Each structure stands twice: as structure tokens, then as C-alpha cells.
């Protein structure tokens, strides 16, 4: 699992960037991975499924926004995070 600082370093647009769309997508992707591995152990955990669904939908909205406003950055983020699309 990557730390938040590592994600920010790899996706930052400039050295003081901490909240751009790409970084938010990276942090959400890490959260989704963490929750997915949690569900492999605890299949009956229904309360955390809401958090997972919320995170997936938020990432989807951010990816759509990025694709609409900056298609080049969208392609880069998809490649760096190994997301399918």
C-alpha cells in the first residue's frame, strides 16, 4: 500500500500541489484498493460497503470531470494508476 505522500509525489502538477483532481483520484484509488482487500477477509461487513460505493462513485465523477476538461491529464492518470477505461 502506498502512503498519501507517495501518491501526491507521483501525481503532483507542481511542487506545492496537494489537492488537484489527479491527486484526489489517486487517493481515492488507494482507498478503494484498501477497502477491496478488507472485503476479501470480511465478506459480511455491510456497513463499509457504503463507503466503498461512495468512493467509487466519487472517483468516477472526478475521472469524468478530468476527461472533459483535460483529456491529456486524464490519459496520464489512467496509465499511472493502472485503471481500466
Amino acid at each position: 500500500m502506498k502512503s498519501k505522500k507517495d501518491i501526491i509525489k507521483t501525481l503532483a502538477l507542481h511542487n506545492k500541489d496537494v489537492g488537484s483532481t489527479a491527486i484526489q483520484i489517486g487517493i481515492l484509488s488507494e482507498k478503494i484498493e484498501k477497502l477491496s482487500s478488507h472485503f476479501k477477509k470480511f465478506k459480511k461487513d455491510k456497513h463499509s460497503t457504503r463507503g466503498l460505493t461512495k468512493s467509487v462513485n466519487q472517483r468516477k465523477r472526478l475521472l469524468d470531470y478530468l476527461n472533459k476538461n483535460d483529456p491529456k491529464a486524464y490519459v496520464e492518470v489512467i496509465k499511472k494508476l493502472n485503471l481500466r477505461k
Side-chain angles (χ1 to χ4, degrees), residues 3-40:
S3 73
K4 203 171 188 179
K5 288 181 182 181
D6 294 337
I7 294 169
I8 291 172
K9 280 182 186 176
T10 58
L11 296 171
L13 302 174
H14 51 83
N15 58 354
K16 291 192 177 188
D17 183 17
V18 290
S20 67
T21 309
I23 290 175
Q24 290 179 42
I25 292 168
I27 291 171
L28 280 170
S29 295
E30 188 61 32
K31 182 179 179 182
I32 290 167
E33 270 184 42
K34 186 177 173 186
L35 281 171
S36 296
S37 66
H38 170 77
F39 287 127
K40 288 178 184 170

Side-chain angles (χ1 to χ4, degrees), residues 50-80:
R50 181 172 186 268
L52 177 65
T53 306
K54 228 174 143 180
S55 299
V56 169
N57 290 332
Q58 179 68 30
R59 182 178 73 178
K60 184 179 183 297
R61 285 195 305 267
L62 285 169
L63 282 168
D64 290 342
Y65 170 82
L66 190 62
N67 190 19
K68 187 173 102 178
N69 291 318
D70 193 359
K72 289 180 184 177
Y74 172 78
V75 171
E76 286 180 27
V77 169
I78 293 292
K79 284 181 185 175
K80 284 183 183 176

